[in-house]
Amino acid sequence: LEKTFRIPEDAIVVGGCGNAEWRKGNDLFNWIARSVIQKTVPLPVYFVWIGAGPQHEIFDLIESDVRLMGLSDRIILIPPTPLALDYISRFDIFLLSSREDPYPLVVMEAALQEIPVVCFEDAGGAPELVEQDAGFVVPYLDINAASEAVIKLVLDPDLRQSMGATGRAKVLERHNTDKSVGNIEAIIQKYLPLTVSEQHN
């Protein structure tokens, strides 16, 4: 991010990820960004969205809003890229602005990298992972509450670190592959007359 998009090395980066579409709340992301940036002057807070490109129907509208807000240097839109995880690794905070998102894998990717998450309640499954200790779950589409949650994390690096570490621990515990496969095997076993094992073809 520093090399390609000239983001300062000491920047606090708030990130989002996904296609540019109404469901993902790109407009909400921008409104929250404006509020946070205005309230944290002169801190170098930058917002980066990965996955928004000209191929998306609402991209021009999103880009226009950013330009008219006067924040083209602070809200960076990156088209879909295979380097998404590399960019996410630079995030300090992950902002899931989705109006609806069943259980976004990108939240788990962020948590695995010890990045705290801010998301909306009643917008999908992310709150079930975030809860009260891996970030903040705010009321549905409450821009002010989301902004204040992001600001808390911007101003408190120790809180970012502790919540991020908790998020990673929860992903490793709840989404462990061996445990998940074991659970699926147990369900299959319940309904099959034969024992399920690697020896059976």
Side-chain angles (χ1 to χ4, degrees), residues 7-8 10-13 40-46 74:
I7 292 177
D10 64 343
I12 301 167
V13 180
T40 56
V41 174
L43 294 177
V45 181
Y46 285 71
R74 289 294 193 95

Side-chain angles (χ1 to χ4, degrees), residues 16-18 24 85 88 94 96 101 103-111:
C17 184
K24 293 289 187 179
L85 291 180
I88 290 172
F94 190 86
L96 183 72
D101 219 331
Y103 198 83
L105 295 178
V106 70
V107 167
M108 288 192 284
E109 295 286 4

Side-chain angles (χ1 to χ4, degrees), residues 2 4 9-10 15 44 51 67 86 88 94 98-99 110 138 154 159:
E2 285 87 346
T4 307
E9 291 187 5
D10 64 343
R67 178 172 44 81
D86 293 329
I88 290 172
F94 190 86
S98 296
R99 291 177 167 90
V138 302
V154 165
L159 184 61

